Amino acid sequence: MKYKFSIQKVSQAKYFDVEIETAEHYVLNNFTDSDWTPQIVQSIIYGVDKSKNNDPEKSFVWGNEDIYIRSNKYGVFFIDLMAQRAGRKLDKQDLVLDHPEFIDFMKDFKKFVEQNS
């Protein structure tokens, strides 16, 4: 998976921008937001790591207005809430990643947020 992070300024707000370069991972672009802190990113890393052996009924769940994730022993599942609001019907999740791949992405993102906060 290829990605890069940048800062976008809109008025007084600073957005942590996520740009995914691989089409199949596009839903991760929805992590772009102005509310990121290293603590929030770490809480997601922790939740995903702790849930990697859990049955689905004990999944870790996190979401914002643009993306929904669920993590359990079967992987990390993503739903693009923006696409649903635009009228797309959901047949299945938009993306499934294994735990290490997603955690590595989030660790890189956390480092970027720390350096730019």
Side-chain angles (χ1 to χ4, degrees), residues 68-86:
Y68 173 85
I69 67 170
R70 176 180 290 271
S71 173
N72 57 49
K73 67 183 179 181
Y74 298 110
V76 185
F77 304 88
F78 300 81
I79 296 175
D80 184 343
L81 299 176
M82 288 180 68
Q84 284 188 350
R85 284 194 305 275

Side-chain angles (χ1 to χ4, degrees), residues 4 6 10 31-32 42 54-55 66 68 72 77-78 88 97 103 110 116:
K4 62 182 176 181
S6 62
V10 179
F31 275 94
T32 296
Q42 183 59 48
N54 289 1
D55 289 324
D66 299 333
Y68 173 85
N72 57 49
F77 304 88
F78 300 81
R88 189 197 59 168
L97 293 178
I103 289 171
K110 179 183 174 190
N116 292 283

Side-chain angles (χ1 to χ4, degrees), residues 28-78:
L28 295 174
N29 288 323
N30 292 346
F31 275 94
T32 296
D33 202 348
S34 63
D35 294 331
W36 286 112
T37 65
Q39 295 79 15
I40 292 172
V41 179
Q42 183 59 48
S43 71
I44 296 169
I45 293 168
Y46 179 77
V48 168
D49 188 55
K50 294 292 278 185
S51 68
K52 65 185 174 189
N53 296 313
N54 289 1
D55 289 324
E57 58 274 358
K58 294 185 178 180
S59 295
F60 168 75
V61 174
W62 181 88
N64 63 22
E65 63 185 32
D66 299 333
I67 191 170
Y68 173 85
I69 67 170
R70 176 180 290 271
S71 173
N72 57 49
K73 67 183 179 181
Y74 298 110
V76 185
F77 304 88
F78 300 81

